[in-house]
Amino acid sequence: MATATASGGTYDTLNRLATVTYHALSSNLCGEVVHFWKLGIPDNIWLGGCFFAAALTGIDSKGGIVLHEVSHLAVSTKDYSDTNEADAENLANTDPKKALKNANNYEYFAERSGFVQTVPSAIP
């Protein structure tokens, strides 16, 4: 189904350290997150064809996709608006509370602010 491509990145959420493991998917999905905390297994991010085809910087970049997926792990975001930047902006205008928990709003904010500029070298 998938093969491991890299492991790395630690984060501290509510005093919890974690190692995130990245895997390659054989589908065209951008990414998927699998939580195994209850089993004591590190969290996993599965990256698909959409990720590998993305640019290194800009909107919908590799760095933005990784940030999007990590936001699910770090702050329990959801995919309320998972199609494009305009949909995320519309969600912010029509339902700000949902937008605060929407992974794409984190991604697009980071990409537009210049926060996401490069990706770790361990990620192709």
Side-chain angles (χ1 to χ4, degrees):
M1 175 177 140
T3 58
T5 57
S7 176
T10 58
Y11 63 92
D12 183 351
T13 304
L14 303 176
N15 299 315
R16 173 180 81 180
L17 291 176
T19 298
V20 177
T21 305
Y22 304 92
H23 305 273
L25 282 172
S26 57
S27 74
N28 199 34
L29 291 173
C30 283
E32 188 74 32
V33 171
V34 180
H35 301 276
F36 288 114
W37 275 108
K38 292 182 181 174
L39 302 175
I41 302 169
D43 287 320
N44 291 265
I45 294 177
W46 303 85
L47 300 169
C50 173
F51 169 81
F52 294 103
L56 288 176
T57 60
I59 301 304
D60 294 323
S61 65
K62 286 182 178 176
I65 292 168
V66 169
L67 186 140
H68 173 113
E69 298 305 330
V70 168
S71 77
H72 292 303
L73 300 175
V75 292
S76 301
T77 59
K78 306 288 183 206
D79 288 323
Y80 293 117
S81 165
D82 199 29
T83 54
N84 59 44
E85 190 177 17
D87 286 345
E89 184 176 358
N90 184 54
L91 183 64
N93 290 328
T94 59
D95 195 341
K97 286 184 180 181
K98 257 191 184 171
L100 287 172
K101 296 297 287 179
N102 185 43
N104 266 354
N105 287 75
Y106 283 76
E107 174 185 345
Y108 295 134
F109 174 80
E111 289 171 335
R112 285 286 176 197
S113 68
F115 178 77
V116 174
Q117 294 185 13
T118 60
V119 228
S121 60
I123 301 174

